[in-house]
Amino acid sequence: INPAFERVTGYTLDEIKDRPAHYTVHYKYPDGRPYPMEECPIDSAYPIMQPVPYGEEVFVRKDGTVFPVAFAVAPLERDGQNVGAVVEFRDITQQKEAEEERERLLALEQQARIMAEAASRLRDEFLTVAAHELKTPMTSLRGYAQVTLRRLEREGTLTPERVRTTLKAIDQQTLRLARLVEQLLDVSRIASGRLALQRQHIDVVGLVRAEMDGAQARTDQHTLVLSVSDQPLLAWVDPLRLEQVLANLLDNAIKYSPEGGLIEVAVSRQDERVQIAVRDRGLGIPAEQRAHIFDRFYQAHADQHRSGLGLGLFIAKQIVDLHGGTITAAFPEGGGSRFTVSLPLSCSGARSGGHYPTGSRS
Ligand code: ADP
C-alpha cells in the first residue's frame, strides 16, 4: 500500500494494515450488496501462481462511495514459493465517464438515425397515399368529360338534366380535389408557422348548425342531431378555420361509421369556454392507436382503404391550439368515438401568435 492508495481510497496505511484489502476497498458491490471474498477475482485467486494482466472492478472509498478501477495482479514468489501478490490498480473514473459519454452519443445518433428513417418511410408512404388520393377524383373528372363528349358526339346534344347531373358530379370531385390540396397547403403553412387566424365575434351555435346542415346533405345513411341551449354563444374565433375543424370532425364521424347511424353534436358553455362534442357510434379507434391520431399523416384505419391523407385531425389540432383551445378524443363504452373541442369564449385565453386581426388569408 502506497501513498497513491491512501489518496485514492481515503484510508491511511495504519487504518488497514492488519486486514485483507478486500474488506477495506472491495466489501460491497456498487448497488450495496455485500461482496464475499470468495467471489472476488483478486483475493480468491490466492495463492496466485498466474498473473492477471488486466481486470476491471469497482472499489469502495473510506466514505462509502465507489469508483471504477483497472487492476493487474502479479504473483510474488520467494524461493519458488508463492508468498503473496502485488495488486496494482488505477482509478478509471474519467475513462469510464468518457466511455459512457461515447456510448450515450452513439445511442443518440442511432436513435436519430432510426427516427430519420421512420420519417423518411412515413414521407414515402404519405406520397403514395397522397398520389392515390389525388388520382381518384382526377380519374373521375376525366371519366365525366369523356362520357359527356362521347354522348355529345353520338347524340349531337345533351339534355339540361344530363348537363346538370354531370356538372354536379364534376363540382363534387373538384371540391374533393380542392380540399386535398388545401390540406397539403395547410400542412406547409403549419410547418413554416404561417397558419394565421382572422378572428371575429361569431355565434358558435349558428356556425355548428350550418356545418351540420352541410354534412347532413352529404349523407343519407346518417342522422345528425344537435343538442344545444337556445342562447347564441358568441366567441372570438376564425369562422372559416372553425368551420374547417367541424367539417373534418363531422366528415370523419360519417366516414368512420360505415353502417350509418346517429351522429350527435352537443354545444355547451362551460364557464368561459364553449365546448363542441361530436359523438358517433362507428368503428372507434383501437386502443393502441389512439395516442397518434392527432399526428401528421397518421391513419388508424389505413388497412381498410378509407379515403383521406391522415391530415385532418392534425390540422384541426393546430387550429384549435392557435385559438388557445383543446381538442380531445374519447371512446365511450357503447362504441364509436367522441371528439370534443373546447375554445375560450374571449381572446384572453388565446395564444398571442394566433391573433391576426387584419391582413389577407394566404
Ligand atoms: P383521415 O384523412 O385519414 O381521415 P384524420 O386526420 O382526419 O385523417 O384522422 C386520422 C385518423 O384517425 C383516421 O385515419 C382514422 O383512422 C381515425 N379517425 C378519425 N376520426 C375518427 C372517427 N370519428 N372514428 C374512428 N376513427 C377516426
Side-chain angles (χ1 to χ4, degrees):
I1 288 169
N2 59 18
F5 181 95
E6 292 184 337
R7 199 176 56 247
V8 172
T9 64
Y11 287 106
T12 61
L13 174 59
D14 282 345
E15 284 172 310
I16 61 167
K17 66 175 182 229
D18 293 329
R19 51 187 171 141
H22 182 84
Y23 292 121
T24 309
V25 290
H26 214 193
Y27 60 90
K28 66 172 182 181
Y29 285 103
D31 62 11
R33 278 178 302 125
Y35 198 152
M37 192 139 108
E38 311 84 74
E39 289 175 19
C40 175
I42 304 169
D43 290 73
S44 66
Y46 287 112
I48 295 170
M49 309 307 287
Q50 294 295 326
V52 180
Y54 187 85
E56 284 186 13
E57 270 296 320
V58 174
F59 280 3
V60 190
R61 296 188 188 90
K62 186 179 176 184
D63 64 9
T65 55
V66 294
F67 62 104
V69 293
F71 68 87
V73 185
L76 211 56
E77 280 179 29
R78 193 169 300 142
D79 306 328
Q81 292 279 310
N82 181 276
V83 292
V86 176
V87 178
E88 193 188 315
F89 75 90
R90 185 162 50 87
D91 181 345
I92 54 169
T93 304
Q94 278 181 355
Q95 179 187 324
K96 283 281 169 203
E97 279 172 0
E99 274 169 21
E100 275 167 23
E101 181 62 9
R102 215 171 28 244
E103 271 164 28
R104 198 180 66 82
L105 290 177
L106 218 69
L108 276 180
E109 196 184 296
Q110 216 164 22
Q111 202 182 359
R113 205 175 39 243
I114 290 170
M115 279 167 70
E117 278 167 11
S120 145
R121 217 174 22 250
L122 199 67
R123 224 178 2 256
D124 290 350
E125 281 167 17
F126 170 74
L127 284 178
T128 311
V129 171
H132 182 78
E133 282 294 302
L134 292 169
K135 197 174 159 194
T136 310
M138 280 192 317
T139 308
S140 166
L141 281 173
R142 183 140 195 256
Y144 284 117
Q146 287 176 336
V147 167
T148 309
L149 204 61
R150 269 205 299 274
R151 194 179 291 270
L152 193 61
E153 279 166 0
R154 203 172 54 231
E155 299 172 11
T157 181
L158 293 171
T159 64
E161 182 53 22
R162 174 72 57 194
V163 173
R164 205 180 69 80
T165 40
T166 306
L167 288 180
K168 211 169 145 192
I170 289 176
D171 186 47
Q172 268 174 8
Q173 295 304 325
T174 318
L175 186 68
R176 189 170 160 194
L177 262 181
R179 284 212 173 122
L180 290 170
V181 172
E182 203 48 49
Q183 281 197 330
L184 294 174
L185 286 173
D186 275 346
V187 170
S188 105
R189 287 185 188 110
I190 291 165
S192 60
R194 284 183 298 114
L195 186 74
L197 299 182
Q198 291 174 33
R199 291 165 182 267
Q200 299 169 20
H201 282 290
I202 58 123
D203 171 25
V204 174
V205 176
L207 185 143
V208 171
R209 201 169 264 139
E211 270 317 300
M212 285 180 69
D213 289 346
Q216 183 67 79
R218 294 194 283 276
T219 174
D220 44 22
Q221 266 188 298
H222 304 81
T223 307
L224 277 69
V225 178
L226 174 64
S227 90
V228 65
S229 68
D230 287 337
Q231 308 275 334
L233 271 175
L234 280 188
W236 176 241
V237 295
D238 181 328
L240 290 183
R241 288 297 183 189
L242 186 54
E243 274 168 26
Q244 185 182 350
V245 171
L246 280 169
N248 180 248
L249 294 184
L250 293 171
D251 283 346
N252 278 352
I254 293 170
K255 185 162 64 170
Y256 299 105
S257 306
E259 307 284 310
L262 193 63
I263 294 170
E264 294 164 287
V265 181
V267 183
S268 58
R269 183 176 176 156
Q270 314 275 331
D271 301 322
E272 286 311 298
R273 300 175 85 80
V274 54
Q275 218 168 63
I276 309 163
V278 178
R279 161 91 163 102
D280 66 59
R281 291 196 164 60
L283 302 176
I285 296 175
E288 65 280 7
Q289 312 229 39
R290 291 175 187 167
H292 304 289
I293 53 172
F294 293 102
D295 292 355
R296 202 166 51 152
F297 311 142
Y298 196 81
Q299 297 190 294
H301 302 93
D303 52 336
Q304 296 163 41
H305 304 297
R306 288 177 203 286
S307 62
L309 296 174
L311 290 175
L313 287 180
F314 168 72
I315 296 168
K317 182 167 168 21
Q318 307 298 315
I319 293 173
V320 171
D321 283 354
L322 272 183
H323 279 90
T326 57
I327 179 167
T328 52
F331 302 92
E333 285 280 298
S337 318
R338 179 189 290 115
F339 284 83
T340 305
V341 173
S342 169
L343 297 171
L345 284 170
S346 67
C347 56
S348 56
R351 258 169 40 190
S352 56
H355 179 200
Y356 294 86
T358 54
S360 63
R361 200 176 281 277
S362 62

